[in-house]
Amino acid sequence: MQNTVMPTHRAARIGLWLLPAYGILLGLGTLTHQPPIEEFDAYARYITTDVFLVSHLGASIFGAALAVLGVVAVTAYLVPGRAGRLAIAGLVLTTIANIYLSAAFGSAAFVQPGIGRAHLAGVPGMPALNADTAYGPALGVTAFSATLLFVVAAIVLGIAIARTHRRLRAVGVAYAVLLPLFAISGFLLPVLQSAAGLAVAIATAVLAVQLPRTLDSASSSLD
């Protein structure tokens, strides 16, 4: 039995560190922001840069994959406890939210640069095409609903972490607050978004240290 349990335990322990890596990517990927669409020349120049492409493919889409894997690791620790069902709900919501967010980020990564290059080359009608495609109603609904689900997922999993053990309450609350703050600040106060992402990295690094120690200690005391 020990040979089958220990590799899984080690994998979960390593997986916890994917969340701090995700937080770092969130912080780095939001150091700069695209200009308003109303300033279409500046907007077109920004969305055709390597920074724009790398931030979407690397920070946003690859980061979303790290987030899901990291939450799987967290859930693996929480499932045996009293907040196991809540943790599973958080995992499901996190997975769905990040898949839909990745669809929105993929659209931005591949559609917007082409529109920007065409505009800079003098092709007329690009602002209208951008509004109908890159920022069309379907994408708007997808991005908004996925962001809302992302916020709910963070709150649910944060509560599950906080309920698992009193030593984990602070980091659970931090998780439930900082990830929604990151998401919401992107719409309301972008200047705070990078700092919120790095704060997520710090909080989840604390989680990666505290979660195994706390639950292993609690298990040992029961033995």
Side-chain angles (χ1 to χ4, degrees):
M1 179 67 69
Q2 185 177 4
N3 290 334
T4 60
V5 173
M6 289 305 294
T8 304
H9 183 75
R10 285 195 296 270
R13 187 183 290 268
I14 293 170
L16 293 175
W17 289 97
L18 297 179
L19 286 176
Y22 167 60
I24 292 172
L25 289 177
L26 291 180
L28 294 178
T30 52
L31 284 172
T32 62
H33 292 85
Q34 65 188 34
I37 300 177
E38 292 75 17
E39 302 172 13
F40 204 80
D41 286 346
Y43 167 82
R45 285 191 293 271
Y46 181 83
I47 62 177
T48 53
T49 62
D50 292 338
V51 170
F52 178 84
L53 183 62
V54 169
S55 69
H56 281 71
L57 295 181
S60 300
I61 298 176
F62 180 64
L66 295 184
V68 171
L69 293 173
V71 171
V72 168
V74 172
T75 305
Y77 274 98
L78 300 186
V79 161
R82 57 184 178 181
R85 291 184 180 179
L86 197 59
I88 292 172
L91 169 60
V92 171
L93 293 173
T94 298
T95 302
I96 295 172
N98 277 284
I99 288 174
Y100 275 93
L101 284 172
S102 293
F105 291 131
S107 174
F110 301 121
V111 174
Q112 288 177 245
I115 293 174
R117 285 191 292 269
H119 176 77
L120 295 175
V123 178
M126 289 302 103
L129 179 62
N130 186 76
D132 291 338
T133 55
Y135 285 92
L139 181 63
V141 171
T142 300
F144 177 79
S145 58
T147 300
L148 181 61
L149 196 61
F150 178 89
V151 169
V152 173
I155 293 172
V156 169
L157 187 60
I159 293 173
I161 295 169
R163 284 184 179 178
T164 297
H165 197 282
R166 58 183 177 79
R167 296 178 191 169
L168 299 172
R169 285 176 188 167
V171 72
V173 170
Y175 188 95
V177 170
L178 290 174
L179 275 171
L181 176 63
F182 173 84
I184 295 170
S185 63
F187 294 100
L188 301 180
L189 200 59
V191 69
L192 290 180
Q193 197 172 27
S194 181
L198 295 176
V200 169
I202 294 171
T204 52
V206 173
L207 176 65
V209 172
Q210 284 190 346
L211 186 57
R213 288 181 179 176
T214 299
L215 297 188
D216 289 349
S217 175
S219 177
S220 298
S221 65
L222 290 177
D223 294 340

